[in-house]
Amino acid sequence: MNTKVFVLAALLSLPACLTITASGQELRASGSKTLAELEIGADQYERRFFMPHLRFSFPARPFSYFLDTLYFQRTNSRLRGEVDVWLRTGVIVPTGPDIFLEASLNHISRHKTSVFYPRITDANEVLFRFWFKSPGLTLGVGFGGYLPGRVSYSSLTVVNAYLPGLFGSEFSLAAEFKVAAFVQIFYEVELSAALNRAFDLFLRATRHYDYPRTIYFGLRVKTDESDGPLLQHLRCRGDVLPSDTVYKLFSALDVQIELSRTSARRFLLDVRAEVPVFRDESFIGKFPPEWIRYPFELEYEKTISPGWRWYAYCLYDIVMPLDRERESEASLGLGVGLRNQPHFDRLLRPFRYELAGGLNFDHVFDARLKVGVNTTGRPADLGADLVLTASTVSVFGRIRLFADFGGAIRVRPFFGLEKAFWFKEPEDSPLRWWIGLEFIRWLAQERAPQP
């Protein structure tokens, strides 16, 4: 990842921005304050693909900032393949009735899992684009250029089109064409069929930077803030480790979906993506990621009383090394737990806890304890969390101090300490400290208990 681009993106995202998207997703997301999508399917080379997409929008008259991030992963039967990381940040300004101007900085980097890959694709677009919107058609026309990177051209022209409900049917068409230096043409064309509000089938043809023409077919699960019963929360977090000798950054996405619910029971699916970044030779320099991790957790929860909830969980955790010759690792765990509110990190009570444990088919057992104290109901709440996890391999502890403020989208700056003890390693990991920022959109309608 290019250093100048990273610094510029960080400055632009101070109000709360960072994005990653593709043509059809960008057009669908442009009017939403929060959006989450998850795509699964196969490509023409008989590989599986998986793509989580998360977006935040921050209205601020007369314009709005947006934050959008996406991981596009393709894998073969050995869990080897490419991972595209898209980042985009910018502002959208209304210039007339149904006309909007977007100014954005777009970044893509491509990595490979479990394969030595020194030539990382790195493209950095600077784009100014007009959007023209009507009930049956959205058009976009933009011009720009490239900041220094491995992929760089003298100019960039972009044309977008989105036609929802073709001829009154369930089908929609989305397309984006990029012309780089009037020499290279890159595109993404998608035909989708809406099964209902939450599910689409799609067929997509693409040609991206440094990648052959590829056709994808899959299923998309999508939800935004209008789908309150389905989407529970969206979270995006970035950590900075200023003095650490191994890592300098850590990023994480988290989407929780409620699959079903009654007055006393519910099924939940929690999907996360986590990426640590090596320090390399210095803090300001290259940004090589170590691995990408996907914990998938399915929960069945039953309410015993307003302050007691027990749940059973199934956790599948997979870690894929990036750009280096190491095999992927995965583990499966089953267990039960107890907590006093629907989600530990939501500040509904001044005292929060969660306790869970069970079998792990990779390292015998897992156990975790979370305890939190905080203020509630103030313009800016303060709090502290303690997290302990244990297995036959290690014991891990983390303390985090934070503030929490904002409106519909909560902003949470924090300071943390962590320490790990490894039973089979000659030395324990050093004590780490970090600072970070997290954006959270709570969509479930739980209310704080009355005193």
Side-chain angles (χ1 to χ4, degrees):
M1 185 180 292
N2 185 277
T3 303
K4 295 180 180 178
V5 174
F6 180 85
V7 173
L8 180 55
L11 292 174
L12 286 175
S13 58
L14 284 177
C17 240
L18 178 117
T19 213
I20 146 187
T21 186
S23 62
Q25 296 147 344
E26 180 176 340
L27 291 166
R28 287 190 299 272
S30 58
S32 300
K33 293 182 179 180
T34 52
L35 172 80
E37 292 182 328
L38 178 64
E39 293 183 358
I40 55 175
D43 66 12
Q44 69 185 73
Y45 304 108
E46 300 181 359
R47 300 178 306 174
R48 295 159 292 180
F49 71 86
F50 170 76
M51 185 170 70
H53 170 211
L54 190 62
R55 179 185 180 99
F56 292 93
S57 295
F58 301 86
R61 295 181 181 179
F63 48 83
S64 64
Y65 302 94
F66 58 84
L67 179 153
D68 199 353
T69 183
L70 175 153
Y71 299 104
F72 186 18
Q73 180 151 7
R74 318 159 188 86
T75 61
N76 59 19
S77 59
R78 298 180 61 189
L79 298 179
R80 294 188 175 188
E82 301 86 6
V83 181
D84 289 358
V85 180
W86 290 82
L87 302 173
R88 191 169 66 109
T89 183
V91 297
I92 297 177
V93 183
T95 59
D98 300 321
I99 301 176
F100 302 86
L101 172 63
E102 172 196 327
S104 61
L105 173 63
N106 311 321
H107 171 79
I108 174 177
S109 61
R110 179 172 297 122
H111 307 271
K112 290 189 177 182
T113 57
S114 300
V115 173
F116 178 65
Y117 186 57
R119 189 187 183 280
I120 298 173
T121 297
D122 179 25
N124 308 293
E125 304 169 351
V126 178
L127 184 63
F128 297 89
R129 174 165 40 191
F130 280 98
W131 292 100
F132 306 90
K133 295 188 177 183
S134 65
L137 175 65
T138 299
L139 291 176
V141 179
F143 304 92
Y146 293 83
L147 294 177
R150 188 176 294 275
V151 176
S152 184
Y153 297 92
S154 59
S155 64
L156 174 66
T157 304
V158 180
V159 178
N160 297 80
Y162 178 50
L163 292 86
L166 288 172
F167 309 110
S169 69
E170 298 83 2
F171 291 91
S172 297
L173 180 66
E176 178 176 82
F177 293 89
K178 297 180 179 180
V179 182
F182 300 102
V183 175
Q184 293 286 344
I185 298 178
F186 306 98
Y187 60 83
E188 183 165 321
V189 180
E190 177 188 291
L191 179 66
S192 61
L195 304 180
N196 53 41
R197 282 174 56 91
F199 295 92
D200 288 348
L201 290 175
F202 64 87
L203 181 67
R204 181 185 301 145
T206 69
R207 185 193 175 208
H208 290 155
Y209 297 116
D210 288 347
Y211 207 76
R213 297 176 178 87
T214 309
I215 296 176
Y216 302 90
F217 175 75
L219 174 70
R220 176 168 48 240
V221 182
K222 63 183 190 296
T223 182
D224 59 27
E225 58 188 31
S226 64
D227 297 321
L230 180 64
L231 186 64
Q232 297 298 287
H233 67 248
L234 307 175
R235 305 176 67 182
C236 179
R237 191 181 99 229
D239 301 353
V240 178
L241 294 82
S243 63
D244 196 84
T245 58
V246 180
Y247 302 106
K248 60 182 173 183
L249 296 173
F250 181 86
S251 65
L253 304 178
D254 181 11
V255 178
Q256 188 178 76
I257 298 173
E258 191 173 72
L259 302 178
S260 68
R261 180 174 190 159
T262 66
S263 59
R265 304 175 182 87
R266 59 178 187 159
F267 276 99
L268 299 169
L269 175 63
D270 195 81
V271 180
R272 301 189 297 274
E274 303 171 352
V275 179
V277 177
F278 281 126
R279 172 167 291 276
D280 199 54
E281 297 178 357
S282 63
F283 188 85
I284 302 299
K286 296 181 179 180
F287 288 76
E290 181 184 16
W291 40 255
I292 186 167
R293 177 186 181 189
Y294 296 113
F296 299 89
E297 186 166 3
L298 182 66
E299 294 184 2
Y300 171 75
E301 180 190 82
K302 180 176 175 58
T303 302
I304 304 173
S305 69
W308 295 85
R309 296 167 179 259
W310 79 267
Y311 65 95
Y313 69 85
C314 175
L315 174 64
Y316 181 66
D317 193 356
I318 182 167
V319 179
M320 301 181 185
L322 296 177
D323 306 326
R324 50 188 47 83
E325 286 278 358
R326 286 182 55 190
E327 292 299 320
S328 299
E329 299 178 358
S331 64
L332 177 67
L334 301 172
V336 295
L338 184 70
R339 55 190 172 215
N340 68 336
Q341 62 176 39
H343 196 287
F344 172 77
D345 290 311
R346 193 168 186 178
L347 307 185
L348 297 177
R349 298 171 178 266
F351 176 72
R352 299 163 284 120
Y353 70 85
E354 182 173 318
L355 175 65
L359 297 175
N360 188 293
F361 297 98
D362 180 62
H363 46 257
V364 184
F365 79 91
D366 282 318
R368 62 183 185 235
L369 171 66
K370 299 180 181 180
V371 177
V373 293
N374 54 266
T375 61
T376 59
R378 299 182 181 181
D381 287 311
L382 301 177
D385 293 339
L386 169 65
V387 177
L388 298 174
T389 61
S391 69
T392 54
V393 177
S394 65
V395 175
F396 172 85
R398 185 191 73 192
I399 297 176
R400 193 171 75 156
L401 308 176
F402 63 86
D404 183 279
F405 56 89
I409 297 177
R410 307 299 295 178
V411 180
R412 187 173 291 185
F414 55 84
F415 168 82
L417 295 170
E418 68 178 28
K419 177 74 174 177
F421 301 91
W422 301 91
F423 299 139
K424 297 183 180 180
E425 297 292 334
E427 296 182 2
D428 297 324
S429 66
L431 178 67
R432 288 193 168 101
W433 67 273
W434 74 97
I435 56 175
L437 188 64
E438 184 173 23
F439 302 107
I440 309 174
R441 179 68 167 103
W442 302 109
L443 291 166
Q445 297 302 310
E446 285 85 359
R447 297 288 185 265
Q450 298 299 318

